[in-house]
Amino acid sequence: MLNVQHVAGGYSDEYILKDISFEVQKGELFGILGPNGSGKTTLLKMISGILPFVSGDIYIKGRSLKEYHSKQLAQIVAVLSQHSSQSFSYTVKETVSLGRYAHQTGWFQTWGEKDESIVQKVMKQTGITSLQNKTIQELSGGEKQRVFLAQALAQEPEILLLDEPTNHLDLSYQKELLDLLKNWTAETGLTVLSIFHDLNLAGLYCDRLLLLENGSININHIPNEVLREERIRAVYHTDIQKHPHPRVPAPQMVLLPEKNQVKKNIQINDGLLRVTDEFIELISPVPLRTMSSGVVGSGTGWHPAFVNRHVGKDYNCSDHRAEMALFLKANGFEPSETVGMMTAVFLEDVTFKYFEGTGFSIFVVVTAGVGNAVDASKSDLHTFEAVPGTINTWIFVNGELTEEAFIQSIMTATEAKTKALHDLNIHDVVTGTIATGTSTDSILIAATQTGELLEYAGTITPLGKLIGKAVYECTIEGIRKSQKRKRL
Amino acid sequence: MQRLSIQKFLNNKVIAYVIAGSFLLFSVLLGISIGTVSVPIFTIIQILLSKLFGVISIDQIDPMFSSIVLNIRLPRVILAGLVGASLAIAGAAFQGLLRNPLADPYTLGVSSGASVGAVLTLFFQISLPIIGSFTLPLLSILFSWATIFLVLAFARKIERSMRVETIILTGIIFSSFLGAFISLMIALTGDELRQIIGWLLGSVSMRGWEYIRIILPFFVLGSIILIFNAKELNAMSFGEERAHHLGVNVQKRKLIILTAGSILTGAAVAVSGTIGFVGLVIPHLSRLLWGPDHRHLLPLSILTGSGFLILADLISRTIISPTELPIGVITALIGAPVFALILLQRKRMERSG
């Protein structure tokens, strides 16, 4: 569709672009990235025919750009630029109708039914039909942008060039616009070339990305390859980190703010723990990096508050998440900042231990009951019944954990718990075999992310050893306490 | 709600043309009727109909009336109308092209440029072979054409983005320089001061049918060219890049439009001197009433522009009768405040974003 061959040129003697070559296929959503001054806009201006290039050539549908007349080019290529000046108060419809200019030929250039229907269609697609009799000067920045998009679409282009299309748009319109473009490329075969400032939006929507650096192509590849930490750091000269999008397979980059606050030496230990009849709480002075299976605040995140709540054995609620959130609010916790768990165990039977390793320490809190102990290897003999968790394990690490260490911590803790049940000879009442846990156990790993870097937490690493020991001892003690209470 | 319905009413294009046309007709009749000798409107209509179609006989009408109407007032009114129409449509085109509501032949300095051409022709009695009496408008057009390109090139040199104020400032510099040049030329040839004022402030008195023949072909040519480029003007009022993206051959069209504007200005100035602000006030008013679409703005500016200048001429010759004021005094009295008002409005809009 579009073929750029060894293009070079710029505004004056100095070349802004040097030897640019790439190809864009029909129906592609092609993103152009690069820091300020890397030549993105210059490239777009050359493709749209506004800026002449000194050497090389640009082919549109196999024909050299220089062979096209203005009107012929406008029938194929439409442009939505960043700034549009409007000195006079045209109405929205008049503005959009101008998009038909290239399709009207002959001396009298009459307005046909086809023109009218296309204008109505694009106004509907861009959601501006209701604004059509307003003047563009009355509109907000986002509305104006949509009017000019409609104007470009009224040209019925095969290639659409966009210069930071989401610049003036609200979050919702950014998404809407890009969803719309993505759909059009898929449905109508429209080819879209767009400059992006936002790497994440580009990564989410583009089929391919072209990264410009000082007027040359750094890379032209799929988003996952282009958006690599080292590459972006080098081109943009800033600290960023890449991580996957939580829902769709697209790379996302996050900025890392300069850390210049004094690192407080935070210690999570029994001093921060408070136990009441209703709940156990631990409030950290700073948010901790967490990975948990709590009712609230599950998955990975950053949380400063941790709550383990006592509920009766007969607790039954159709929406326990919402109920838990209400409970947290009622007790002065912010649900979004809290990891919350439930247990039927009496909270005074809580056990906790603090262990120190070299350069780091851990604090483990366990509430344990084995009323519905299960042997995981034979669990298909059980019918599912969600009752409040009976072994809840909290592991706080005063140290910095990698992602691997978080997951290994969970494995190590689980193994230690299972061993504790084994040593106490806890049986699964249904199968009669030794239980490995209970049916609704929960776990939390929380780390301060300051101090010693702990890369691994396997069973024989320094961290793993402490976790294993602490969880084992706490679980044993916790189960004994609850068994004692039962016997009473 | 009320305002909306009024706007809708005014937006109706047929009604727009009816209003503008009636305004012109009203001005023409008033312009012919009023003067040292008052001619009844019914008599005017009779004289005109008999002259045009020869159906009604004018035997019973006072020959003095018909002589006043046909030889003095009618040519003057038509000339004022043509000059007003030319300046108004040229102003509308310049404004659209430059995206600049303050542009008109006068503020851009084009009128002064044309004036230099005209004064040169008249005072050195230049007459080119073959074209004869058309030497005057042709030289005026040539000078106005050169001036507009000089002004734009100079403004671009100051600032690439060519802000509204930059262009106008450049125009005013050129205008005062060329005005001084005209004064100097007239003074050196030993003519009286009235002549100088006549060229600097403009006048349509004592010109007769001959001058109408001079301006008419250029008016028709320039107007037709501009009206055929109305769509391009619409596109270009969104910026040259935008126009290019929409498929307009910007360089070619720009040249055509500037040339047509120069033809209209040059021809108008050649017969009347530099009359200011017509090309500023009329397009602005028309745009305010009927919207900025050049397909209608240009013809409507012709109608209202001619009516406006006929009325201005009427005031200039009657207000301190029997002495005549230069017509430019009246247009400047109306135009300069409008200019200031537009400037204020623009600044307020820029500030409010």
Side-chain angles (χ1 to χ4, degrees):
Chain A
M1 198 71 191
L2 176 74
N3 191 347
V4 178
Q5 289 285 336
H6 307 291
V7 162
Y11 288 97
S12 48
D13 319 332
E14 208 183 326
Y15 283 10
I16 291 176
L17 293 178
K18 302 150 207 146
D19 195 28
I20 302 285
S21 298
F22 63 92
E23 243 182 279
V24 182
Q25 303 303 324
K26 185 176 160 72
E28 253 188 312
L29 181 49
F30 189 86
I32 301 171
L33 302 175
N36 289 337
S38 58
K40 297 172 299 216
T41 304
T42 310
L43 178 61
L44 212 66
K45 280 189 176 171
M46 284 181 182
I47 297 171
S48 65
I50 283 190
L51 202 65
F53 37 90
V54 180
S55 62
D57 211 343
I58 295 174
Y59 298 94
I60 287 168
K61 295 177 87 177
R63 244 173 89 192
S64 170
L65 185 67
K66 289 170 180 164
E67 291 171 29
Y68 281 95
H69 294 299
S70 310
K71 272 197 180 184
Q72 290 175 328
L73 189 64
Q75 287 175 13
I76 301 173
V77 182
V79 183
L80 178 64
S81 45
Q82 227 182 101
H83 311 284
S84 298
S85 68
Q86 55 280 313
S87 311
F88 305 117
S89 42
Y90 286 91
T91 65
V92 167
K93 197 185 164 194
E94 282 171 337
T95 308
V96 176
S97 302
L98 268 178
R100 298 300 301 157
Y101 173 80
H103 291 271
Q104 293 175 297
T105 45
W107 271 94
F108 292 97
Q109 313 184 330
T110 42
W111 187 251
E113 256 172 56
K114 192 183 165 216
D115 297 310
E116 180 67 29
S117 74
I118 285 166
V119 165
Q120 291 298 342
K121 190 181 85 185
V122 296
M123 285 201 294
K124 203 171 158 202
Q125 281 173 331
T126 47
I128 54 168
T129 309
S130 60
L131 305 173
Q132 60 175 305
N133 291 319
K134 282 198 174 185
T135 68
I136 32 175
Q137 285 167 336
E138 294 173 78
L139 305 183
S140 71
E143 287 168 334
K144 274 182 200 162
Q145 190 75 342
R146 284 189 284 152
V147 170
F148 285 107
L149 176 69
Q151 192 189 53
L153 292 174
Q155 287 175 246
E156 295 186 290
E158 292 174 55
I159 301 175
L160 184 60
L161 305 178
L162 306 158
D163 191 351
E164 286 182 42
T166 55
N167 211 4
H168 301 284
L169 299 184
D170 291 349
L171 214 53
S172 67
Y173 284 127
Q174 291 190 5
K175 182 181 131 41
E176 221 168 82
L177 172 66
L178 290 168
D179 283 340
L180 210 61
L181 289 177
K182 190 81 192 167
N183 276 339
W184 280 328
T185 55
E187 283 166 19
T188 65
L190 178 74
T191 309
V192 178
L193 234 84
S194 178
I195 291 178
F196 280 96
H197 226 79
D198 188 327
L199 302 182
N200 290 334
L201 278 179
L204 265 178
Y205 285 96
C206 291
D207 298 311
R208 249 171 351 121
L209 295 175
L210 179 80
L211 180 62
L212 286 177
E213 185 184 13
N214 295 326
S216 305
I217 293 180
N218 180 296
I219 188 175
N220 167 11
H221 213 295
I222 55 167
N224 225 341
E225 282 299 313
V226 176
L227 300 178
R228 296 194 87 104
E229 278 171 23
E230 323 79 60
R231 190 190 308 283
I232 298 298
R233 255 181 227 152
V235 172
Y236 283 84
H237 306 291
T238 187
D239 207 2
I240 50 94
Q241 198 153 17
K242 176 182 174 178
H243 75 151
H245 192 282
R247 285 295 177 80
V248 296
Q252 296 286 287
M253 316 294 292
V254 289
L255 284 169
L256 296 181
E258 205 73 44
K259 283 184 196 160
N260 41 15
Q261 67 260 55
V262 187
K263 276 189 185 168
K264 280 180 279 179
N265 202 11
I266 307 139
Q267 282 289 327
I268 306 295
N269 53 34
D270 49 355
L272 298 170
L273 196 70
R274 198 166 71 88
V275 184
T276 68
D277 283 351
E278 257 189 304
F279 56 84
I280 303 170
E281 65 160 45
L282 188 145
I283 309 281
S284 162
V286 294
L288 305 179
R289 176 83 173 132
T290 61
M291 190 176 277
S292 81
S293 62
V295 177
V296 166
S298 59
T300 55
W302 291 85
H303 298 94
F306 306 90
V307 172
N308 189 1
R309 169 192 175 196
H310 172 79
V311 294
K313 274 205 180 336
D314 51 353
Y315 174 81
N316 193 0
C317 185
S318 59
D319 189 350
H320 61 290
R321 280 203 184 84
E323 194 275 335
M324 181 69 171
L326 281 177
F327 171 83
L328 289 174
K329 264 195 188 144
N331 287 281
F333 297 100
E334 192 54 56
S336 63
E337 302 235 287
T338 308
V339 174
M341 295 181 178
M342 292 183 187
T343 181
V345 172
F346 289 96
L347 297 178
E348 58 195 83
D349 294 344
V350 65
T351 56
F352 46 87
K353 283 198 156 53
Y354 177 81
F355 286 106
E356 262 183 52
T358 43
F360 71 97
S361 56
I362 67 165
F363 179 56
V364 173
V365 182
V366 172
T367 56
V370 286
N372 52 348
V374 171
D375 176 357
S377 63
K378 299 199 164 56
S379 57
D380 55 347
L381 296 173
H382 286 266
T383 50
F384 183 75
E385 198 181 343
V387 288
T390 35
I391 302 180
N392 285 347
T393 310
W394 288 357
I395 299 164
F396 296 95
V397 182
N398 295 305
E400 185 177 353
L401 263 60
T402 60
E403 300 271 302
E404 292 105 303
F406 268 101
I407 293 170
Q408 287 164 346
S409 297
I410 293 173
M411 290 162 60
T412 304
T414 308
E415 285 167 23
K417 174 192 73 179
T418 302
K419 183 67 178 167
L421 262 66
H422 184 263
D423 288 357
L424 286 175
N425 209 15
I426 307 292
H427 279 76
D428 179 333
V429 288
V430 176
T431 62
T433 52
I434 290 179
T436 55
T438 78
S439 57
T440 47
D441 291 354
S442 264
I443 192 160
L444 158 80
I445 314 289
T448 55
Q449 298 300 81
T450 57
E452 184 89 358
L453 176 67
L454 302 158
E455 272 192 86
Y456 306 107
T459 41
I460 58 161
T461 61
L463 175 60
K465 283 176 182 170
L466 282 196
I467 290 178
K469 186 171 150 130
V471 171
Y472 178 78
E473 288 179 10
C474 285
T475 311
I476 295 253
E477 206 178 300
I479 294 172
R480 280 198 177 130
K481 278 186 186 173
S482 88
Q483 283 175 334
K484 208 177 189 181
R485 180 183 295 278
K486 266 191 186 164
R487 267 179 246 128
L488 281 176
Chain B
M1 223 43 232
Q2 177 127 31
R3 208 176 144 234
L4 205 81
S5 65
I6 290 172
Q7 269 182 348
K8 212 168 199 168
F9 174 74
L10 288 175
N11 263 330
N12 190 324
K13 296 301 182 244
V14 179
I15 290 169
Y17 284 103
V18 169
I19 292 174
S22 320
F23 172 64
L24 175 57
L25 192 68
F26 166 77
S27 309
V28 168
L29 291 177
L30 219 60
I32 298 174
S33 166
I34 299 173
T36 36
V37 179
S38 196
V39 184
I41 289 194
F42 186 69
T43 314
I44 299 170
I45 295 173
Q46 270 186 316
I47 294 170
L48 291 184
L49 284 180
S50 80
K51 218 38 197 172
L52 282 174
F53 306 109
V55 262
I56 308 162
S57 105
I58 44 167
D59 296 340
Q60 61 276 60
I61 292 170
D62 190 338
M64 184 192 73
F65 276 160
S66 66
S67 165
I68 287 177
V69 169
L70 293 175
N71 296 330
I72 301 173
R73 299 236 178 110
L74 187 61
R76 182 171 183 150
V77 161
I78 291 178
L79 191 67
L82 286 175
V83 169
S86 303
L87 293 174
I89 188 177
F94 285 143
Q95 288 173 13
L97 185 70
L98 301 171
R99 299 180 300 288
N100 187 337
L102 294 176
D104 92 337
Y106 186 72
T107 54
L108 287 174
V110 185
S111 291
S112 301
S115 216
V116 170
V119 169
L120 273 176
T121 316
L122 289 174
F123 285 84
F124 294 102
Q125 282 162 358
I126 303 169
S127 179
L128 298 175
I130 306 167
I131 49 173
S133 67
F134 282 115
T135 308
L136 176 68
L138 276 177
L139 273 182
S140 289
I141 288 165
L142 207 68
F143 271 77
S144 60
W145 196 77
T147 315
I148 184 74
F149 280 95
L150 265 174
V151 167
L152 292 183
F154 193 79
R156 189 179 289 275
K157 201 118 200 125
I158 297 174
E159 192 189 35
R160 263 193 70 89
S161 68
M162 303 238 287
R163 279 191 315 138
V164 171
E165 291 81 0
T166 313
I167 297 179
I168 299 307
L169 199 61
T170 313
I172 286 167
I173 295 167
F174 272 75
S175 195
S176 11
F177 176 74
L178 294 171
F181 195 66
I182 295 164
S183 306
L184 192 68
M185 264 197 304
I186 300 176
L188 284 179
T189 51
D191 267 292
E192 55 173 328
L193 205 64
R194 284 187 68 84
Q195 276 272 2
I196 297 178
I197 292 171
W199 278 104
L200 291 183
L201 289 172
S203 167
V204 284
S205 68
M206 311 305 283
R207 294 289 203 266
W209 289 101
E210 188 200 335
Y211 277 73
I212 293 172
R213 270 192 293 277
I214 290 178
I215 185 176
L216 192 64
F218 295 103
F219 165 72
V220 172
L221 179 69
S223 302
I224 286 176
I225 294 176
L226 288 183
I227 288 170
F228 271 114
N229 282 285
K231 261 177 184 251
E232 285 75 8
L233 274 171
N234 278 341
M236 275 195 273
S237 48
F238 285 93
E240 286 180 22
E241 279 192 12
R242 190 77 237 139
H244 185 106
H245 294 149
L246 290 170
V248 177
N249 188 340
V250 173
Q251 289 313 319
K252 187 177 117 193
R253 296 295 181 164
K254 205 164 124 184
L255 188 71
I256 291 175
I257 290 165
L258 285 176
T259 305
S262 303
I263 290 175
L264 287 161
T265 312
V269 170
V271 298
S272 69
T274 52
I275 299 171
F277 299 107
V278 183
L280 178 90
V281 175
I282 296 306
H284 185 70
L285 186 77
S286 305
R287 211 180 280 120
L288 218 59
L289 290 174
W290 301 303
D293 186 346
H294 286 85
R295 285 171 301 174
H296 301 293
L297 181 68
L298 297 179
L300 286 168
S301 291
I302 289 181
L303 295 175
T304 41
S306 49
F308 172 75
L309 208 66
I310 290 168
L311 287 184
D313 179 48
L314 175 63
I315 295 170
S316 78
R317 67 185 155 88
T318 52
I319 196 164
I320 50 165
S321 171
T323 320
E324 268 189 31
L325 270 179
I327 189 170
V329 172
I330 307 298
T331 58
L333 278 176
I334 299 168
V338 173
F339 180 94
L341 212 69
I342 300 172
L343 195 63
L344 265 177
Q345 225 174 21
R346 270 185 59 85
K347 281 291 144 196
R348 207 173 306 142
M349 238 163 56
E350 269 169 34
R351 242 174 280 134
S352 70

